[in-house]
Amino acid sequence: MNNKAGLNIDGQTFELDTIVGSEGEVGIDITKLRAQTGAITLDSGYGNTGSCTSRITFIDGEKGILRYRGYDIAELAKKSGFVETAHLLIYGELPTSEKLSAFSKQLTRYQLIHEEMLHHFEGFPSTAHPMAILSAMINAASSYYPTLLEKREERFDNHAARLISQVRTIAAFSYRKAKGLPIIYPKSNLKFSENFLHMMFSMPGEDMDINPDVARALDLMFLLHADHEQNCSTSTVRMVASSKANLFASASAGVCALWGPLHGGANQAVLEMLEQIHAEGDDGSKFLQAVKDKTSGRRLMGFGHRVYKNFDPRALIIKEQCDKVLAQLQVSDPLLDIAKKLEEIALADEYFVSRNLYPNVDFYSGIIMRAIGIPMDMFTVMFAIGRMPGWIANFKEVMEDPSSRISRPRQIYTGPTLREYSPIGERS
Ligand code: CMC
């Protein structure tokens, strides 16, 4: 194709360069637009704006494709594990067995948070939302590692391992704190997801049998959440990183962005919605009628996606896993029946079909977590544990890009034009 795009403003034509990605996506390079034309582009919500080029994750929303570093998500879900996938995302390649073993050892080595950080937990009320604790504790952790501010590569590896491992430790500790339970330290002989279950559900002095199917389901969930290109939280991480803030500060900002119900908080919102439908004795049909009435202010949580206009491939995998986990744990959950009914009705309903609204990753993940015993207000924390490698990979990409500039969008000002200050007594 022609590698130029034309733009006509007030009868004057400007030529813009185009850039083609490795999967054929075309972008119009507008980096010199304002200098050339005096105009800027306006794209509220960034639906048509590429904020960067990236080699990490590819999504084709129309075809329902998601790939980490070129590997299809379904293949990774079947053959890989969270730790190996974290390595793939951060370092670009699947590790050799030596590299994987070294990476796993790093995660184990750094899994304990600095003992003085335990005092920070004391300061939170027992009603604190675990996402508030998580973001505050990740940011607080940066004060314990002054070398974070150095850019040496071996330090980055240590800090990345520390962050992946400790976010899981902090999450489990915050749960124990909220429940008034004694804190359980991680064990060195346990794998990543087993260790999380151990820290969440063990009691001091007792050995806990960790169900391997549950550990595998959790590991898969972390893997499916590990990256998703330039979503709200990852863009936040990149934006903070662009100011050269440290890794922990950038990740902590990512946690805050993830918290909202339109993003990572949707998994909690889905369960709340299902519980409400159940409490009202509805099978989902009345609720869907309300959703279609725009004045109700209701949305079918766990449905729709900015990028996927076809099935979210993660939702397909997680739905299958959900059925498996519930069968293995012999859990019969009425909320799952409601979720299935909602899905069945919505997928045949003109409102959802015409808007390309399909179930997303959050639609079934909450039901799995509920079956495992994870409390609802920790669902988004689980998403954050899974997303950490993606945030770290994106942080690294920003830091290693010699052409990276501080992210600083512009705006079209629509407020009052210049006016004079009026003394307080003269104001109406
Ligand atoms: N229920 C009902 N209507 C919806 C929904 C929904 N879940 N999602 C979108 N719509 C409608 C929306 O009202 C609009 O209708 P109209 O064209 O008549 O005005 C149309 O579909 C397009 O929606 P939009 O709000 O312009 O779409 P968006 O790309 O800005 O929003 C979204 C994407 C994910 C925020 C949205 O679909 C939503 O709010 N979904 C529910 C929350 C959710 O499940 N979020 C998790 C996303 S996946 C995990 C993650 O990335 O964090």
Side-chain angles (χ1 to χ4, degrees):
M1 71 172 273
N2 178 358
N3 57 358
K4 296 283 177 198
L7 176 71
N8 192 303
I9 304 178
D10 289 340
Q12 212 187 335
T13 304
F14 299 92
E15 208 172 57
L16 299 164
D17 289 335
T18 56
I19 174 166
V20 182
S22 51
E23 291 285 347
E25 289 166 303
V26 180
I28 299 170
D29 183 349
I30 56 156
T31 43
K32 299 195 182 77
L33 183 71
R34 189 168 178 275
Q36 279 178 0
T37 69
I40 62 166
T41 55
L42 182 64
D43 182 21
S44 110
Y46 307 131
N48 300 287
T49 296
S51 59
C52 59
T53 57
S54 176
R55 300 176 58 82
I56 304 169
T57 288
F58 172 69
I59 299 176
D60 183 330
E62 276 70 33
K63 296 194 184 126
I65 292 173
L66 168 61
R67 294 184 200 137
Y68 297 160
R69 301 282 190 184
Y71 296 98
D72 188 70
I73 192 68
E75 190 176 18
L76 289 171
K78 207 178 285 168
K79 299 179 182 166
S80 185
F82 176 65
V83 170
E84 183 180 75
T85 296
H87 186 287
L88 169 69
L89 283 167
I90 297 169
Y91 298 106
E93 295 299 334
L94 285 169
T96 58
S97 51
E98 289 79 24
K99 280 192 175 157
L100 181 59
S101 150
F103 185 56
S104 301
K105 276 192 191 132
Q106 286 284 81
L107 295 183
T108 304
R109 182 173 166 205
Y110 292 122
Q111 65 191 356
L112 280 170
I113 57 173
H114 196 290
E115 196 67 11
E116 283 176 18
M117 276 188 71
L118 290 179
H119 298 301
H120 292 262
F121 281 102
E122 304 303 320
F124 291 102
S126 55
T127 51
H129 194 286
M131 284 297 272
I133 300 183
L134 191 69
S135 65
M137 291 296 275
I138 292 174
N139 210 5
S142 59
S143 55
Y144 290 88
Y145 310 112
T147 53
L148 262 177
L149 307 178
E150 294 170 17
K151 280 182 221 127
R152 286 175 28 218
E153 208 172 281
E154 68 270 26
R155 298 278 192 214
F156 170 82
D157 294 345
N158 294 350
H159 291 312
R162 194 167 262 143
L163 194 49
I164 294 173
S165 204
Q166 292 191 2
V167 73
R168 176 200 52 174
T169 309
I170 293 170
F173 281 16
S174 65
Y175 167 73
R176 306 289 297 197
K177 151 92 185 143
K179 289 264 160 205
L181 293 168
I183 276 169
I184 302 286
Y185 285 85
K187 277 185 176 174
S188 301
N189 61 334
L190 292 178
K191 294 193 173 137
F192 188 89
S193 298
E194 293 173 344
N195 227 336
F196 178 72
L197 291 168
H198 157 70
M199 286 189 278
M200 286 284 289
F201 302 121
S202 291
M203 288 309 269
E206 287 175 17
D207 280 331
M208 177 190 164
D209 282 335
I210 294 164
N211 181 332
D213 294 326
V214 169
R216 171 72 193 137
L218 199 57
D219 205 69
L220 176 67
M221 245 186 38
F222 290 146
L223 183 155
L224 291 177
H225 283 90
D227 196 40
H228 211 235
E229 54 118 301
Q230 304 314 316
N231 54 80
C232 178
S233 55
T234 303
S235 299
T236 302
V237 169
R238 286 188 83 115
M239 183 170 258
V240 177
S242 80
S243 76
K244 306 295 176 214
N246 72 67
L247 177 63
F248 282 50
S250 305
S252 163
V255 171
C256 294
L258 187 71
W259 194 354
L262 297 189
H263 189 13
N267 52 18
Q268 179 175 341
V270 169
L271 249 279
E272 283 164 355
M273 172 188 79
L274 295 175
E275 279 185 345
Q276 191 194 339
I277 294 172
H278 184 52
E280 287 168 1
D282 178 15
D283 68 346
S285 21
K286 265 195 247 149
F287 179 82
L288 283 183
Q289 280 308 324
V291 164
K292 290 193 280 177
D293 169 9
K294 287 285 170 75
T295 59
S296 75
R298 285 179 163 185
R299 282 203 162 189
L300 177 54
M301 301 311 286
F303 254 68
H305 199 278
R306 170 61 62 80
V307 178
Y308 294 120
K309 300 302 170 200
N310 195 320
F311 252 85
D312 177 341
R314 303 166 299 172
L316 293 176
I317 301 167
I318 225 157
K319 183 180 177 187
E320 198 185 312
Q321 189 66 27
C322 184
D323 283 332
K324 246 191 235 168
V325 170
L326 264 62
Q328 274 153 359
L329 297 177
Q330 297 183 326
V331 173
S332 136
D333 190 341
L335 300 196
L336 180 62
D337 299 335
I338 295 174
K340 284 186 170 165
K341 183 80 183 172
L342 285 173
E343 183 182 350
E344 187 192 313
I345 306 174
L347 291 181
D349 188 296
E350 214 280 321
Y351 174 96
F352 296 92
V353 174
S354 63
R355 290 171 177 79
N356 293 317
L357 300 171
Y358 293 93
N360 59 49
V361 69
D362 292 318
F363 196 64
Y364 283 104
S365 63
I367 296 176
I368 300 188
M369 288 191 271
R370 184 172 134 106
I372 294 175
I374 312 265
M376 203 155 63
D377 64 357
M378 270 201 65
F379 288 1
T380 316
V381 168
M382 306 299 285
F383 191 151
I385 299 174
R387 184 54 54 87
M388 201 50 76
W391 288 340
I392 294 170
N394 277 275
F395 175 93
K396 186 167 184 272
E397 204 170 63
V398 172
M399 290 300 172
E400 288 176 351
D401 177 1
S403 66
S404 161
R405 303 167 74 202
I406 188 163
S407 296
R408 203 307 186 181
R410 288 191 177 260
Q411 62 166 19
I412 300 288
Y413 175 70
T414 56
T417 52
L418 182 65
R419 46 185 176 161
E420 247 175 60
Y421 180 89
S422 51
I424 195 157
E426 291 173 20
R427 294 175 207 159
S428 54

